[in-house]
Amino acid sequence: DSLLQEMTEDTSIPKDINKSHADILATIPSGWMLRECQAYHSELKACESFKGRFYQFYVTGSQGECEEWRENHRDCKEWTNNADTEAAERIIGREKDRIKERLRGHYENDVWEKRTIPPPAEEWSKPLPQYMLERQETSYLALYAQNKQKREEASTSELKMMDVQAKLINSAPSCTIM
């Protein structure tokens, strides 16, 4: 709820909100949450699409309801065309409920202890453990850096020899199915 309270207390208007009737919108609490109608239309189409339905079924085991997006789009058009403040407030209420539901898992998570302050400065630049340093020395990135350094330091004849060697390695079959 604290994030939702912070969101509702902020009265500044971002640049990507619904700009229709901005003077009236500024007087509505949490008016900055009202998006352009195209955003609600896109959400509705995504919800009703085959891909959206498949995703809903995959995540929840059932098809989701798209009625909320339809109502948001309808109310947004009502707001844009007629400056209907009740329609805007309905959208804002549904947006608050959607965000609250979206963040519920975060706030109800009791597995991790949430920090109140950042970690101490010495924690930010701790050296890596020895086993990680050893793995880092033989990583593909380290091999790439070594080969690149060899190429930069090599003479032209050595470069030609490296190219021939690379062509031989790449031209030989690497996998044989028997």
Side-chain angles (χ1 to χ4, degrees):
D1 282 345
S2 62
L3 179 64
L4 196 55
Q5 287 172 346
E6 289 175 24
M7 292 168 45
T8 56
E9 291 170 0
D10 187 10
T11 58
S12 62
I13 300 175
K15 293 176 178 41
D16 59 343
I17 64 159
N18 189 318
K19 295 173 184 69
S20 303
H21 319 291
D23 52 337
I24 301 171
L25 190 61
T27 64
I28 299 173
S30 304
W32 59 269
M33 296 178 87
L34 189 64
R35 298 187 276 167
E36 293 284 345
C37 294
Q38 180 60 38
Y40 299 116
H41 181 68
S42 297
E43 293 281 5
L44 175 62
K45 291 301 168 196
C47 181
E48 292 175 335
S49 71
F50 178 76
K51 182 179 177 181
R53 294 295 184 179
F54 181 77
Y55 179 77
Q56 293 160 9
F57 190 75
Y58 180 78
V59 171
T60 63
S62 63
Q63 288 187 353
E65 292 292 323
C66 301
E67 190 59 33
E68 185 174 307
W69 294 117
R70 190 174 287 107
E71 290 172 5
N72 280 350
H73 185 246
R74 189 179 318 117
D75 283 342
C76 184
K77 286 199 276 185
E78 190 68 30
W79 161 254
T80 303
N81 295 335
N82 304 326
D84 185 356
T85 56
E86 290 176 4
E89 289 169 354
R90 285 193 300 267
I91 295 172
I92 292 167
R94 285 190 291 265
E95 284 287 316
K96 285 181 182 179
D97 292 342
R98 183 182 65 81
I99 292 169
K100 189 175 184 179
E101 181 63 29
R102 175 71 175 90
L103 296 175
R104 180 191 315 268
H106 170 71
Y107 285 109
E108 290 178 355
N109 183 0
D110 59 353
V111 174
W112 302 105
E113 181 182 328
K114 291 183 173 59
R115 289 185 175 160
T116 56
I117 58 171
E122 61 271 1
E123 294 257 337
W124 285 103
S125 57
K126 270 184 157 177
L128 290 174
Q130 188 61 36
Y131 76 93
M132 289 184 85
L133 290 172
E134 291 168 2
R135 281 191 0 207
Q136 191 177 29
E137 290 173 4
T138 59
S139 70
Y140 285 117
L141 184 60
L143 291 173
Y144 175 78
Q146 289 171 359
N147 285 337
K148 188 173 182 180
Q149 186 176 8
K150 280 182 187 177
R151 283 192 164 278
E152 290 172 355
E153 295 171 354
S155 65
T156 55
S157 61
E158 289 174 329
L159 282 174
K160 286 181 183 177
M161 198 61 182
M162 286 179 185
D163 286 340
V164 169
Q165 185 181 16
K167 286 179 184 176
L168 282 173
I169 291 172
N170 290 334
S171 65
S174 60
C175 177
T176 306
I177 300 174
M178 296 185 159

